[in-house]
Amino acid sequence: MPSPQASQDQPMADAAADYVAGIQAPEHIETGPQRVRVLPGASETAASFEFEGEDHTLGNALRYMIMKNPEVEFCGYSIPHPSEAKMNVRIQTYEGTTVYDALEKGFDDLADLCDVVTEKFTEARDAFVARQHE
């Protein structure tokens, strides 16, 4: 019978994490839990991604931005079950581009759009405040 202390896992240093191709890795890199994974059955031109902790807010906006890409044949999203905080995105591309490139471009385009909205909102708010003080 194993002793109670033997059942407690102890973290071990990973030698491969300390050196990559002879380059010293930083002492500490903060990373959060992995929130996206590629679902089984993926290919270069068709894949489904599962996002943890996301819902319709990101799903619909991301789907819209990805579908604006002319190299994308199809993009859709679903929330598999309302009680689970998961969102699935399916992307199919034409030959010549990958689903990973399409996903990255979708995120970049969405971030750019958010920057424009923030800028326009800030300008309008500042103009409104200036009119109130006249």
Side-chain angles (χ1 to χ4, degrees):
M1 176 177 235
S3 68
Q5 287 186 346
S7 67
Q8 296 176 353
D9 290 337
Q10 298 294 321
M12 295 178 61
D14 185 5
D18 292 337
Y19 290 94
V20 176
I23 299 173
Q24 177 79 25
E27 289 284 327
H28 179 70
I29 299 174
E30 288 195 37
T31 60
Q34 183 175 341
R35 294 184 50 211
V36 63
R37 71 182 183 106
V38 180
L39 296 176
S43 70
E44 289 294 311
T45 60
S48 294
F49 302 88
E50 180 182 75
F51 292 83
E52 291 281 338
E54 297 298 341
D55 58 14
H56 294 285
T57 305
L58 177 64
N60 196 36
L62 185 59
R63 179 205 56 82
Y64 175 78
M65 295 309 292
I66 292 172
M67 280 303 299
K68 290 181 68 69
N69 183 345
E71 297 175 337
V72 172
E73 183 177 9
F74 171 81
C75 182
Y77 83 97
S78 66
I79 305 297
H81 195 276
S83 68
E84 291 183 280
K86 293 181 181 177
M87 174 194 64
N88 294 342
V89 174
R90 173 78 178 173
I91 302 172
Q92 290 176 218
T93 62
Y94 296 109
E95 292 295 326
T97 190
T98 69
V99 292
Y100 309 105
D101 292 339
L103 181 62
E104 185 174 356
K105 182 176 178 358
F107 276 125
D108 290 343
D109 292 349
L110 184 56
D112 292 345
L113 178 64
C114 290
D115 291 342
V116 170
V117 169
T118 300
E119 180 182 314
K120 295 292 184 184
F121 172 81
T122 302
E123 289 172 4
R125 182 200 60 205
D126 293 347
F128 176 78
V129 169
R131 284 194 307 270
Q132 295 299 314
H133 292 307
E134 291 178 354

